[in-house]
Structure formats: C-alpha cells, structure tokens
C-alpha cells in the first residue's frame, strides 16, 4: 500500500468527529470534510493547488480519475501544458472548496487520482539515497521533507503505515509537486526495515542532536539512508539501535536544533555534496 493510499474511512472516528465519551452518539448533521472526502474517493488520492496538480498531470505514472477546474484555472492549465490528458470538469471555486478541509488553498484545481506505485526495500538499488521517517506524522512537515527530497534526487522515503500523515492533500500541497517525484515505501515495522536495509548494504545514519559524531565527519558510501525522528521525541530507541551511526548537525548559533524538515534539508545538502565528491 502506497503512502498516499491511506485515506480515512467513512464513518470512523477521527479528529473533529463528534462521537465519544461525554458526547452525543447522534451523527453530526453535517459530516466533516474527512468523512465526505473519504466517501467520495475511497482508497484514492486527493490533490489540489497549482504545483501538485500540474505535476500530477505531467506524470504519466499518475492515473487521474477526475479533474475539477475553474474557468480561469483551465485557461492557465492549457497555457502551461497544452492539451490535457484528462477531460476537465468545470466547477465554481466554492464547489471545489466544499470538497476540501477548511482554509485549503486550491487555486481552482482539484484532482482525484490513483496512488502511485510504491517500491519495496528489496527493489532499491545499490546507489540509492533514501530518507527514513520515524513517526513523523505532521503533513506540513512531511510535505516540506518531500519537496526537499525531490530537489536533492532522493530515491524513496520509507515510513510505516501506522505513523504517517493521513491528510494527503495537505501533504501534497506542502510538497509543491514533489510527491510525483519521490515515491513512498511503506513498511510494517521500521526497525525491521532498517535491519533489512543494513543487510542490503545501506549505511543507515540516524540524525540525533546527541549523536556521537558530526554528520560531515561520517565516512560516507552508497547506498545511504538518512533516518529522521519526530520533533520533540526524536528517534525511538529501537530505531537508534538499528542505525550504523548516530550523527548530529552542529549549529554555531544559540539555537541548537532545527525543525525536522529544515534538518532534513541541511542533512541532504551535506550528504549530497559528500556523495558527489565520491562519484
């Protein structure tokens, strides 16, 4: 199952749901956007906004089920891409807005699509540079990481089905089209996946502010897996134990830690430069 397959199921509880202890068991008169969207696009992907939609339409691997556009957005799309590979449906801005979470900036573009193919640990090649995310669930952070990963040519992002972002549209918007270029590899158990990566020759580097060595001092070789933990919690103990080395990003200023998406960018920059010097 691909990362962007995990849509919330219709009728299940979740953020914003009114069922639960101390609350009425009567369904809300107006289902929240998650339930509405899950009912409409079961097991699919919702993408919106200029960059995610343009990149999806430009990606032959992405099968588009439905494309909703405003008149202005259709004109702009045609100017950018020429003839479209899917027939768009004209819609008013408010019709699109009703399909999305509150305050979503859709720019007159909305897509329902199939998930992209998901590679496996076993199919990754010996030159790979990948990211491994340990319980990073915030879709804005993951989206920013995806965008950075696309910029640095990351081959895949490994995460678990249980602790990964469910709001794919938010993540895709934050990724600004990067979701079409960096596939997700979904694993059942992260520690087991790291063990398999090591057995396949990957150098697994856990990023940790208390790491024993500076990242730039780590002797690099391909293939490489950079392992990032959630903000606040960091890497879990078993994740740390499965890494070859724990490395830190030394900060010269007064603040010694970075937002996880910023840390990913700095780490990828340093790692990419070091690997380029070896190639």
């Amino acid at each position: 199952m691909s990362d962007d397959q995990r849509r919330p199921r219709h009728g299940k509880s979740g953020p914003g749901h009114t069922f639960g202890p101390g609350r009425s068991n009567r369904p809300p008169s107006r289902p929240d956007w998650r339930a509405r969207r899950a009912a409409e696009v079961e097991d699919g992907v919702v993408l919106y906004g200029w960059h995610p939609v343009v990149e999806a339409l430009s990606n032959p691997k992405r099968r588009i089920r439905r494309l909703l556009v405003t008149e202005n957005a259709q004109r702009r799309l045609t100017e950018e891409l020429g003839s479209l590979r899917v027939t768009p449906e004209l819609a008013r801005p408010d019709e699109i807005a009703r399909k999305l979470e509150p305050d979503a900036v859709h720019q007159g573009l909305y897509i329902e699509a199939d998930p992209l193919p998901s590679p496996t640990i076993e199919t990754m090649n010996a030159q790979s540079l990948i990211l491994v995310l340990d319980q990073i669930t915030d879709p804005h952070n993951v989206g920013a990481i995806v965008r950075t990963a696309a910029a640095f040519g990351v081959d895949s992002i490994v995460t678990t089905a249980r602790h990964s972002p469910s709001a794919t549209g938010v993540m895709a918007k934050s990724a600004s089209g990067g979701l079409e270029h960096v596939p997700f590899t979904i694993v059942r158990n992260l520690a087991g996946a790291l063990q398999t990566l090591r057995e396949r020759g990957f150098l697994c580097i856990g990023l940790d502010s208390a790491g024993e060595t500076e990242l730039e001092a780590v002797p690099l070789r391909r293939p490489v897996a950079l392992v990032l933990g959630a903000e606040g919690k960091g890497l879990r103990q078993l994740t740390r134990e499965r890494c070859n080395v724990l490395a830190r990003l030394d900060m010269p200023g007064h603040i010694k830690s970075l937002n996880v998406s910023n840390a990913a960018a700095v780490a990828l920059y340093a790692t990419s430069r070091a690997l380029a010097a070896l190639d």
Side-chain angles (χ1 to χ4, degrees):
M1 181 175 65
S2 152
D3 178 79
D4 49 6
Q5 280 181 287
R6 288 180 309 285
R7 315 297 313 155
R9 295 285 192 247
H10 182 54
K12 290 188 178 180
S13 62
H17 202 280
T18 60
F19 292 2
R23 296 181 180 179
S24 169
N25 284 330
R26 184 174 55 196
S29 58
R30 184 181 179 188
D32 70 12
W33 65 268
R34 296 172 183 84
R36 289 201 309 271
R37 195 162 74 189
E40 293 168 353
V41 285
E42 188 78 7
D43 288 333
V45 184
V46 167
L47 305 171
Y48 60 85
W50 177 255
H51 292 294
V53 167
V54 167
E55 291 297 326
L57 289 171
S58 302
N59 182 3
K61 295 180 180 179
R62 177 72 81 179
R63 186 169 95 64
I64 310 297
R65 300 177 183 175
R66 190 182 186 195
L67 169 62
L68 270 61
V69 297
T70 61
E71 288 188 22
N72 288 338
Q74 182 180 24
R75 187 161 48 249
R76 188 181 174 198
L77 266 185
T78 304
E79 291 172 356
E80 177 78 14
L81 300 177
S83 59
L84 304 177
R85 62 188 180 93
V86 59
T87 302
E89 302 173 40
L90 284 178
R92 297 190 308 273
D94 62 305
E95 291 177 308
I96 296 176
R98 283 197 295 270
K99 294 181 175 294
L100 301 170
E101 59 273 20
D103 303 320
V105 181
H106 57 74
Q107 298 170 288
L109 296 163
Y110 169 94
I111 273 180
E112 295 171 7
D114 286 354
L116 289 171
S118 180
T120 66
I121 298 292
E122 290 72 23
T123 59
M124 293 179 185
N125 66 57
Q127 296 300 308
S128 295
L129 169 61
I130 67 173
L131 292 179
V132 179
L133 307 186
D134 185 10
Q135 295 193 340
I136 302 175
T137 59
D138 180 79
H140 296 282
N141 273 335
V142 176
I145 290 171
V146 171
R147 183 176 184 176
T148 300
F152 283 101
V154 168
D155 296 287
S156 183
I157 294 176
V158 178
T159 188
T160 57
R162 185 178 178 188
H163 293 103
S164 55
S166 58
T168 304
V170 176
M171 184 183 73
K173 190 70 164 64
S174 298
S176 194
L179 196 62
E180 304 302 316
H181 303 285
V182 185
F184 274 72
T185 297
I186 306 304
V187 298
R188 186 179 300 275
N189 180 278
L190 201 68
L194 286 169
Q195 183 63 36
T196 302
L197 285 169
R198 288 183 61 172
E199 291 170 357
R200 298 195 69 244
F202 275 79
L203 175 63
C204 297
I205 304 172
L207 295 178
D208 191 306
S209 58
E212 64 266 25
T213 185
E214 187 179 355
L215 178 60
E216 292 183 350
V218 175
L220 288 181
R221 57 172 173 77
R222 290 184 183 273
V224 180
L226 294 176
V227 189
L228 297 134
E231 288 192 60
K233 296 185 296 184
L235 299 175
R236 289 174 294 169
Q237 183 60 36
L238 197 53
T239 303
R240 293 162 60 92
E241 293 173 2
R242 290 293 190 273
C243 293
N244 295 93
V245 60
L246 296 177
R248 66 183 185 274
L249 297 173
D250 280 341
M251 300 292 132
H254 294 290
I255 296 178
K256 300 300 182 182
S257 63
L258 295 172
N259 168 282
V260 65
S261 62
N262 291 332
V266 173
L268 281 172
Y269 176 77
T271 302
S272 297
R273 284 176 60 89
L275 290 175
L278 296 176
D279 294 341

